[in-house]
């Protein structure tokens, strides 16, 4: 008897451990109980998904049964989706219809989210609003000191993102003021910058693509957003494949898996073949060992090892610019990209080889000297980027000690930079082998 009790004890312990490895269910949390009831009232049939907390990805959905290729993951009725149609049928509708010049579908959705969040208990969308993140980690929310630690191309895009949101806020202030009759408080305090930033991030990171027909009350920007409660708890993995679309017959947004998933494992979907810079910019996270990840080479870095006195330097640069060979030059898991090598081959052309530039762009070998110089300079750039990345990682670890309040944001940039370092070290190894071979 004792023996079997020990075994069941071990079994139970193993099961307990297993649940922590896979994820800890959050189904019994009040916010999820309320959300499920709210969805059920709108026609959502309970599926095999359960909200859970996972070690690597944080909050996500686990499956209570094994999923095979072709199985449906989730089917969310149209009534559960938050679209511009939802906004127009609310009390905001008449104000949007009247406003000239027309607001964008994006601003309409942002306005609705801010207004409903402000309404609190009175909002019919409260069960959904309660499970939305309170804060985001998109670059627009990051501290200036953290932005400065991003790789150069991403830093530029992060600054553009901040400008976009700021301009959106400034250009919408008059429209927000027009909503004053709907509120007891001053609209300036309800629709402030941080409220818009939160709403913008909610839409930017969580909407599914769903095309709506053009309405005259909106500006000409495409109306392609829908917020999908519960479904938006599904996390991204670059290693899975799914099929997702709005089903006109069932009037539901449906996702089917093209990958297998074991019982009690986290169910993932794929947001697209994005590299980590894009994931951080658009969604505020990075994926570890992301097969699509790349390290970008800026044009300053590209020219670092070429003599400034090369008489043909300006001509070479304008050829690269005209043929779009100054952007998207990268190192990946399989080494330097063809585009990067081609740009460096053209810059390495000797004075006597310069007339062959067209052949270079087509991928022809011009001379053994040109090939060798290209490899040498590629390796130098790779090592320069390794050193630069290591230097930034050192800065991050120092800042983490000093600035406790920025710890989470710094950890995010650190994850991105560590991933970059792995890619660059792999590329350096590949280049070393190529050099030995030649």
């Amino acid at each position: 008897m004792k023996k079997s009790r020990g075994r069941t004890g071990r079994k139970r312990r193993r099961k307990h451990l297993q649940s922590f490895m896979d994820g800890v269910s959050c189904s019994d949390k009040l916010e999820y109980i309320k959300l499920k009831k709210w969805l059920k009232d709108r026609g959502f049939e309970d599926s095999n998904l359960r909200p859970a907390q996972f070690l690597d990805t944080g909050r996500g959905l686990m499956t209570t049964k094994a999923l095979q290729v072709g199985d449906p993951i989730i089917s969310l009725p149209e009534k559960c989706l938050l679209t511009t149609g939802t906004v127009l049928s609310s009390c905001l509708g008449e104000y949007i219809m009247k406003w000239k010049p027309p607001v964008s579908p994006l601003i309409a959705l942002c306005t609705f989210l801010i207004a409903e969040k402000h309404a609190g208990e009175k909002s019919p969308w409260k069960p959904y609003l309660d499970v939305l993140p309170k804060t985001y980690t998109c670059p627009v929310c990051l501290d200036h000191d953290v932005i400065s630690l991003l790789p150069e191309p991403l830093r530029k895009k992060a600054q553009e993102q901040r400008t976009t949101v700021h301009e959106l806020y400034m250009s919408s202030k008059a429209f927000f003021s027009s909503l004053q009759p709907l509120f007891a408080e001053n609209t300036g305090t309800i629709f402030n910058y941080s409220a818009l930033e939160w709403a913008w991030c909610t839409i930017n990171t969580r909407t599914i693509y769903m095309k709506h027909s053009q309405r005259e009350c909106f500006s000409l920007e495409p109306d392609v957003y829908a917020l999908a409660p519960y479904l938006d708890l599904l996390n991204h993995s670059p290693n899975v494949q799914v099929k997702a679309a709005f089903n006109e017959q069932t009037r539901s947004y449906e996702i089917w898996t093209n990958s297998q998933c074991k019982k009690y494992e986290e169910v993932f979907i794929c947001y697209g073949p994005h590299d980590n810079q894009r994931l951080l910019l658009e969604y505020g996270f990075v994926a570890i060992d992301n097969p699509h990840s790349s390290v970008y080479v800026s044009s300053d870095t590209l020219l670092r090892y070429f003599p400034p006195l090369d008489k043909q330097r300006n001509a070479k640069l304008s050829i690269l610019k005209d043929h779009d060979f100054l952007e998207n030059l990268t190192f990946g898991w399989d080494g330097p990209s063809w585009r990067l090598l081609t740009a460096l081959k053209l810059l390495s052309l000797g004075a006597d080889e310069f007339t062959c530039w067209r052949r270079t762009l087509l991928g022809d070998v011009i001379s053994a000297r040109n090939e060798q110089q290209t490899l040498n300079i590629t390796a130098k750039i790779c090592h320069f980027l390794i050193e630069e990345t290591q230097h930034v990682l050192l800065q991050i670890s120092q800042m983490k000690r000093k600035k406790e309040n920025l710890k989470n944001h710094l950890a995010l940039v650190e994850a991105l930079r560590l991933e970059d370092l792995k890619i660059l070290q792999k590329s350096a190894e590949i280049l070393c082998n190529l050099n030995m071979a030649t």
Side-chain angles (χ1 to χ4, degrees):
M1 286 296 283
K2 268 182 185 166
K3 209 171 182 180
S4 72
R5 198 181 304 149
R7 244 209 327 261
T8 51
R10 270 207 303 279
K11 222 176 189 173
R12 204 175 297 129
R13 206 162 43 243
R14 232 194 348 258
K15 212 166 177 174
H16 187 64
L17 270 173
Q18 188 65 30
S19 81
F20 275 98
M21 271 164 56
D22 297 334
V24 183
S25 175
C26 305
S27 289
D28 52 353
K29 276 194 175 176
L30 188 60
E31 61 201 75
Y32 294 114
I33 293 169
K34 285 182 173 174
L35 179 66
K36 290 293 273 286
K37 184 189 178 309
W38 180 84
L39 288 164
K40 197 177 176 192
D41 293 345
R42 283 169 147 75
F44 176 61
E45 293 298 319
D46 193 14
S47 61
N48 309 301
L49 301 175
R50 298 283 175 273
Q53 196 68 26
F54 297 91
L55 202 60
D56 292 341
T57 52
R59 189 175 70 167
L61 292 176
M62 69 153 73
T63 175
T64 54
K65 70 159 211 175
L67 295 175
Q68 303 304 323
V69 174
D71 281 355
I73 295 177
I74 194 167
S75 173
L76 200 64
E78 194 171 16
K79 272 187 182 160
C80 302
L81 302 173
L82 198 167
T83 64
T84 47
T86 319
V87 181
L88 290 177
S89 57
S90 76
C91 58
L92 294 171
E94 58 170 310
Y95 291 85
I96 291 171
M97 303 271 200
K98 282 189 304 204
W99 189 255
K100 294 284 175 278
V103 299
S104 66
L106 175 66
I107 272 295
L109 285 165
C110 285
T111 308
F112 183 82
L113 283 175
I114 298 167
E116 293 299 310
K117 196 181 182 190
H118 175 73
E121 295 293 334
K122 295 191 195 86
S123 168
W125 288 84
K126 185 178 169 17
Y128 175 51
L129 295 169
D130 283 349
V131 297
L132 285 174
K134 307 286 178 275
T135 58
Y136 289 94
T137 46
C138 303
V140 71
C141 310
L142 299 181
D143 188 276
H144 194 76
D145 290 346
V146 178
I147 297 261
S148 67
L149 299 165
L150 293 171
E152 198 236 12
L154 182 57
R155 194 163 59 235
K156 216 167 118 192
K157 286 187 179 136
Q159 271 141 3
E160 283 165 14
Q161 192 181 75
R162 293 175 87 121
T163 307
T164 301
V165 178
H166 192 260
E167 283 172 359
L168 202 60
Y169 173 65
M170 296 310 285
S171 63
S172 307
K173 276 173 115 171
F175 167 65
F176 293 151
S177 297
S178 78
L179 305 173
Q180 191 58 66
L182 294 171
F183 300 94
E185 297 95 317
N186 187 320
T187 50
T189 57
I190 301 167
F191 297 91
N192 56 30
Y193 180 76
S194 69
L196 179 77
E197 186 184 88
W198 172 81
W200 185 88
C201 287
T202 299
I203 290 158
N204 201 55
T205 60
R206 309 185 81 74
T207 45
I208 52 175
Y209 181 88
M210 190 175 160
K211 205 162 172 37
H212 307 284
S213 50
Q214 194 71 46
R215 290 188 179 94
E216 274 181 23
C217 60
F218 291 130
S219 63
L220 294 173
E221 278 103 317
D223 187 355
V224 290
Y225 312 101
L227 281 160
Y230 204 59
L231 182 150
D232 63 7
L233 293 173
L234 288 162
N235 286 318
H236 163 83
S237 166
N239 306 310
V240 302
Q241 289 178 317
V242 294
K243 204 167 82 185
F246 185 75
N247 185 330
E248 296 290 344
Q249 274 72 49
T250 61
R251 304 303 298 167
S252 297
Y253 191 89
E254 298 174 352
I255 301 180
W256 299 269
T257 181
N258 283 337
S259 317
Q260 286 185 324
C261 186
K262 291 184 190 143
K263 191 176 177 175
Y264 299 128
E265 269 190 352
E266 180 169 9
V267 182
F268 288 102
I269 56 173
C270 184
Y271 301 172
H274 304 318
D275 65 35
N276 275 341
Q277 295 205 13
R278 173 91 186 270
L279 288 175
L280 179 54
L281 185 71
E282 300 294 346
Y283 305 101
F285 70 88
V286 297
I288 304 304
D289 295 327
N290 181 354
H292 309 295
S293 256
S294 307
V295 178
Y296 290 80
V297 179
S298 68
S299 38
D300 290 350
T301 307
L302 188 73
L303 296 171
R304 212 180 158 81
Y305 300 99
F306 289 99
L309 298 172
D310 176 2
K311 287 193 176 70
Q312 284 138 345
R313 182 182 166 118
N314 289 345
K316 287 173 180 174
L317 275 175
S318 76
I319 289 167
L320 289 176
K321 198 169 186 239
D322 293 347
H323 293 80
D324 189 30
F325 268 93
L326 283 177
E327 300 283 316
N328 291 329
L329 309 176
T330 56
F331 287 100
W333 293 107
D334 48 2
S337 67
W338 181 81
R339 286 175 62 81
L340 174 60
L341 288 172
T342 304
L344 290 169
K345 272 182 190 180
L346 194 130
L347 288 168
S348 298
L349 289 173
D352 55 331
E353 298 170 331
F354 183 57
T355 50
C356 305
W357 66 264
R358 278 188 188 81
R359 282 175 50 206
T360 310
L361 293 183
L362 293 170
D364 288 358
V365 172
I366 305 303
S367 68
R369 184 210 61 82
N370 178 271
E371 293 288 307
Q372 191 57 56
Q373 189 180 332
T374 299
L375 275 184
N376 292 344
I377 289 177
T378 311
K380 280 180 184 170
I381 289 173
C382 187
H383 286 292
F384 165 74
L385 290 173
I386 287 174
E387 279 174 25
E388 187 186 57
T389 306
Q390 285 169 332
H391 174 67
V392 174
L393 283 165
L394 190 65
Q395 274 179 289
I396 292 171
S397 67
Q398 287 165 349
M399 268 175 85
K400 271 165 99 178
R401 284 198 293 275
K402 285 185 207 151
K403 304 199 174 185
E404 194 65 36
N405 60 320
L406 298 180
K407 226 169 178 171
N408 291 350
H409 290 178
L410 288 167
L412 189 65
V413 183
E414 186 174 46
L416 178 79
R417 289 290 197 164
L418 283 167
E419 198 74 355
D420 283 0
L421 188 60
K422 280 195 272 187
I423 290 170
L424 290 165
Q425 286 168 336
K426 188 93 182 73
S427 293
E429 204 181 299
I430 290 165
L431 285 161
C432 181
N433 293 340
L434 278 173
N435 250 325
M436 279 160 73
T438 53

